[in-house]
Amino acid sequence: MLPRHILVASLGNPSPAYRNTLHSAGHTLLSALQTYLGSPPFAKSRPHANGLLSSSNKNLTFWQSPTLMNVSGPAVATAWKVFLRELPNEERPRAKLVVVHDELEIPLGKIKVKSGGSAKGHNGLKSCVSSLGGMQFMRIGVGIGRPESRESRDVAAYVLRKMTAVELQKVEDVVGEVVDALVKMGDELKSRAIASNLQHIIQATHTQTRPHGKQA
């Protein structure tokens, strides 16, 4: 069976101004994942919409959106098209897009994995759905919790503030669950290459102290 290549794309706001804000928890988590799996450092890639790319030429490629959250879609669509174009023709139909994003409706430090569905007011996801033309893609939402107030002004202030050290740790600590989700995704999709590769990395790092991911 042909391998399944996966592009894991995170949404957030640009660094350095918005680094490690709650709204950029997707970027923070993807950076932690890149560190945890020992993937190459992120580097700006002009073909991939000027996003930050980490690719080991294996089955997993990581990409961070360079745009403001609410207009993420066009950049994600461009990165996805370039990602597909670089794959052998016979492997393109099996390729998968996974979008990592912050999620207000989930408690801090929890994740939710789903395929498709409503964006539920998340403007970054709305932009992706629109730009991808209704294409189904996997989503990994990392919980950031909600402020007590539901006023839009208060919610905006909440998601745009920097995470505390404790909050940052909680977001980074779910990296193992994300790896498990990717392994499970590979198993469900009968992608032995991805599952085997990730299991090997997990075993190799099991006895090591997990490093803290830093957003590129």
Side-chain angles (χ1 to χ4, degrees):
M1 180 178 291
L2 292 173
R4 184 185 297 275
H5 295 272
I6 296 180
L7 174 64
V8 185
S10 64
L11 307 184
N13 286 314
S15 291
Y18 297 99
R19 178 181 290 123
N20 292 333
T21 58
L22 286 164
H23 212 19
S24 293
H27 286 338
T28 300
L29 179 54
L30 191 63
S31 291
L33 182 62
Q34 172 263 326
T35 300
Y36 183 68
L37 295 180
S39 298
F42 280 104
K44 184 176 180 179
S45 173
R46 182 173 297 178
H48 295 82
N50 288 317
L52 299 178
L53 189 73
S54 172
S55 177
S56 60
N57 296 318
K58 294 181 181 178
N59 299 99
L60 284 173
T61 296
F62 303 136
W63 178 85
Q64 295 182 332
S65 172
T67 71
L68 290 170
M69 173 68 83
N70 292 357
V71 291
S72 301
V76 172
T78 296
W80 174 243
K81 289 176 182 177
V82 173
F83 176 75
L84 288 178
R85 191 165 62 234
E86 293 178 344
L87 296 178
N89 290 338
E90 66 274 12
E91 295 179 11
R92 293 175 187 172
R94 290 180 49 76
K96 203 75 176 175
L97 173 64
V98 178
V99 173
V100 182
H101 60 91
D102 65 306
E103 181 54 70
L104 276 168
E105 305 302 332
I106 304 175
L108 181 71
K110 303 294 183 180
I111 65 168
K112 182 176 182 179
V113 182
K114 63 180 294 188
S115 175
S118 170
K120 292 185 178 180
H122 193 293
N123 290 325
L125 288 177
K126 286 182 179 178
S127 181
C128 290
V129 170
S130 176
S131 296
L132 291 166
M135 182 191 88
Q136 294 290 303
F137 56 91
M138 298 297 297
R139 307 172 188 179
I140 298 179
V142 53
I144 60 172
R146 257 194 179 278
E148 291 185 7
S149 172
R150 293 275 175 163
E151 293 293 329
S152 58
R153 180 177 59 184
D154 295 331
V155 173
Y158 175 77
V159 301
L160 292 177
R161 72 167 173 78
K162 294 280 188 178
M163 286 184 268
T164 66
V166 172
E167 291 169 335
L168 180 62
Q169 185 70 58
K170 286 186 176 180
V171 169
E172 292 179 336
D173 279 350
V174 302
V175 67
E177 294 179 52
V178 174
V179 171
D180 290 342
L182 291 172
V183 170
K184 186 179 295 184
M185 190 186 306
D187 288 341
E188 290 172 352
L189 299 172
K190 302 185 187 307
S191 180
R192 297 175 183 173
I194 292 177
S196 176
N197 182 45
L198 287 179
Q199 290 287 14
H200 175 73
I201 294 172
I202 292 170
Q203 292 171 3
T205 59
H206 181 69
T207 58
Q208 299 177 7
T209 301
R210 181 184 306 164
H212 297 308
K214 294 182 180 180
Q215 185 172 341

